[in-house]
Amino acid sequence: MSKPHIIVVGSGWAGFYLAEYLSTTTYTVTIISPRRTSAYTPLLASAACGLFNFYLAEEPVRSKTRKCRFIKANVTAVDFASRKVQCAPAFEDDDTISNEHFSLEYDYLVLAPGCIPNTFNTPGVAEHALFMKNVSDAMAMRKLLFDLLEKASLPNCPLARKKELLHIAIVGGGPTGVEITAELDDLAHHELHDLYPEVAHHLTISIYDVAPYILGAYDRKLHSYANTALLRRNIGIETNSRIERVDQHALYIKDKGRVPYGMLLWVTGNKAVPLVTNHLPDVRKTEKGLTRILTDSRLRVYQSQNPDEIYDNVFALGDAADILNNPLPTTAEVAVQKAKYLVSYFNTTLPTPAPPTTPFTYRETQLVSYIGSRDGIIAGKKGEEGDGWTGRSAWLAWRSGSVMWTRSWRNRAVILLTWMLNLVFGKEIAKM
């Protein structure tokens, strides 16, 4: 008797957790994703700035200890009646193979395709900005940073040009944007100061956000503390900024005009992938904001034709999905908790899963952000009013949390060892 076939679409936080822990003794598990690795997104800025090697910020889906099947492809459609997914191989440099579509049958389908960066259709962003979604983005950031420093170091580079080249513009004042800023600022005041003494002091960082303040997910006390700390270190904070377009060398901001930059990092939020927006007409989705697949409290997908009916063998989670009347943020923590719920459901109701009886319950965790110079902010608890805390203890909590994001004990050990070596010998940031 053949084993039930579970197809997981996506290899992000949710999809990778399912690949890691679903029982391959009882199920045939297939992961379909355009990326053969899963990035630990909270570690990308640290890796880009030399705190540890890039390979520690991602995990390959294929593994000799992981018995699931991996297919490098994009799911282009789902036939829920015949239980089939249509796929296109994901090889952008090979049009012939990419057009050789195929289909796979499933018994259970888990939709976790994730999201892509949201450019808000701002002209020029897709062509000229860097994003921070995977290790290749982090590597591109480090390479460009060193290219800019070398250009600014040329003897025939005028002062005005040096300042333009070494202006790093970060669009997005959420935790990701602020943490990238913090890591870059630390790097500039230490390793880059020693490696590029003639030009490192010209490096400037600015955060641009359409909101009235940065780190809006925190309460006023904490985001004001972060704002003051960043300004004290001469980091520009340009809130209420509406970027109208971007070209290769400058931002164009409403009421402010042209702002030259050397590097533009765009970390403003998420946008649904084409599978969710264009290729799942039989699935019920959110009507406002980010387009997400709607599920019930047991993560089963709602039908679009019969809005109160669910597909009992189709589940959705991660950034691309949300629970009806119980919206949750698009964070790694939410994705992993939902994945744990599904793994428990499949692995403890063997051999044939019955409909889930216990609804998913999200356990809220503390929001932590690094703001540079061994300082951080944490929302909630500590203090008489439970209004969070700041300072070195918050930084240590953030740093220790970074270690725990990776699921490999080997990688955790290597990260800790690298930090200790960095303290003694400094970062080997110049090695590409």
Side-chain angles (χ1 to χ4, degrees), residues 65-95:
T65 61
R66 200 174 297 120
K67 303 303 180 182
C68 62
R69 180 188 183 191
F70 172 74
I71 299 175
K72 193 176 187 302
N74 287 299
V75 172
T76 58
V78 179
D79 187 332
F80 295 99
S82 62
R83 298 189 176 188
K84 290 182 179 180
V85 293
Q86 303 295 324
C87 306
F91 298 92
E92 295 178 357
D93 57 347
D94 192 328
D95 292 337

Side-chain angles (χ1 to χ4, degrees), residues 7 86 109 126 180 182 270 289 306 311 350 352 360 372 404:
I7 288 181
Q86 303 295 324
L109 177 64
I180 293 173
N270 294 320
N306 304 298
Y311 295 104
L350 308 178
T352 302
F360 168 76
M404 298 309 295

Side-chain angles (χ1 to χ4, degrees), residues 42-209:
L43 305 183
L44 292 177
S46 298
C49 293
L51 267 73
F52 42 77
N53 199 293
F54 287 113
Y55 81 87
L56 297 171
E58 66 180 354
E59 194 80 28
V61 179
R62 292 184 182 275
S63 170
K64 62 183 180 181
T65 61
R66 200 174 297 120
K67 303 303 180 182
C68 62
R69 180 188 183 191
F70 172 74
I71 299 175
K72 193 176 187 302
N74 287 299
V75 172
T76 58
V78 179
D79 187 332
F80 295 99
S82 62
R83 298 189 176 188
K84 290 182 179 180
V85 293
Q86 303 295 324
C87 306
F91 298 92
E92 295 178 357
D93 57 347
D94 192 328
D95 292 337
T96 301
I97 290 180
S98 295
N99 288 319
E100 296 175 353
H101 293 203
F102 59 90
S103 64
L104 295 172
E105 295 183 352
Y106 65 84
D107 295 296
Y108 299 94
L109 177 64
V110 181
L111 297 169
C115 289
I116 55 178
N118 194 346
T119 67
F120 299 96
N121 298 316
T122 307
V125 172
E127 295 81 8
H128 303 298
L130 297 179
F131 303 97
M132 196 56 63
K133 294 290 276 186
N134 50 60
V135 167
S136 59
D137 293 333
M139 295 176 74
M141 180 188 122
R142 187 191 290 190
K143 181 183 183 303
L144 179 56
L145 176 63
F146 277 95
D147 285 347
L148 293 171
L149 287 161
E150 297 295 351
K151 290 177 183 179
S153 299
L154 293 171
N156 60 344
C157 183
L159 180 59
R161 180 63 177 146
K162 291 181 194 289
K163 291 182 177 181
E164 290 184 359
L165 287 169
L166 298 180
H167 177 219
I168 300 175
I170 297 175
V171 180
T176 301
V178 170
E179 287 167 10
I180 293 173
T181 299
E183 298 283 21
L184 282 168
D185 186 60
D186 287 350
L187 184 65
H189 284 90
H190 296 93
E191 284 73 21
L192 297 186
H193 182 269
D194 297 329
L195 290 171
Y196 297 90
E198 301 90 355
V199 298
H201 59 283
H202 293 306
L203 191 148
T204 57
I205 306 171
S206 301
I207 300 174
Y208 299 88
D209 200 294

Side-chain angles (χ1 to χ4, degrees), residues 219-265:
D219 63 28
R220 181 178 295 275
K221 175 186 174 182
L222 292 176
H223 70 64
S224 295
Y225 175 90
N227 190 88
T228 301
L230 292 171
L231 289 174
R232 191 184 303 122
R233 296 201 300 277
N234 297 315
I235 292 169
I237 299 178
E238 303 288 342
T239 53
N240 297 306
S241 295
R242 297 188 178 276
I243 298 171
E244 298 178 321
R245 64 186 177 92
V246 170
D247 65 24
Q248 187 177 359
H249 302 295
L251 303 165
Y252 294 84
I253 304 175
K254 185 177 180 181
D255 300 327
K256 296 178 184 177
R258 183 179 186 273
V259 179
Y261 69 83
M263 180 192 297
L264 171 61
L265 285 159

Side-chain angles (χ1 to χ4, degrees), residues 4 6 26-27 108 312 315 342 345-356:
I6 301 176
T26 306
Y27 303 102
Y108 299 94
D312 58 9
F315 302 82
L342 268 193
Y345 160 64
F346 278 112
N347 289 356
T348 59
T349 57
L350 308 178
T352 302

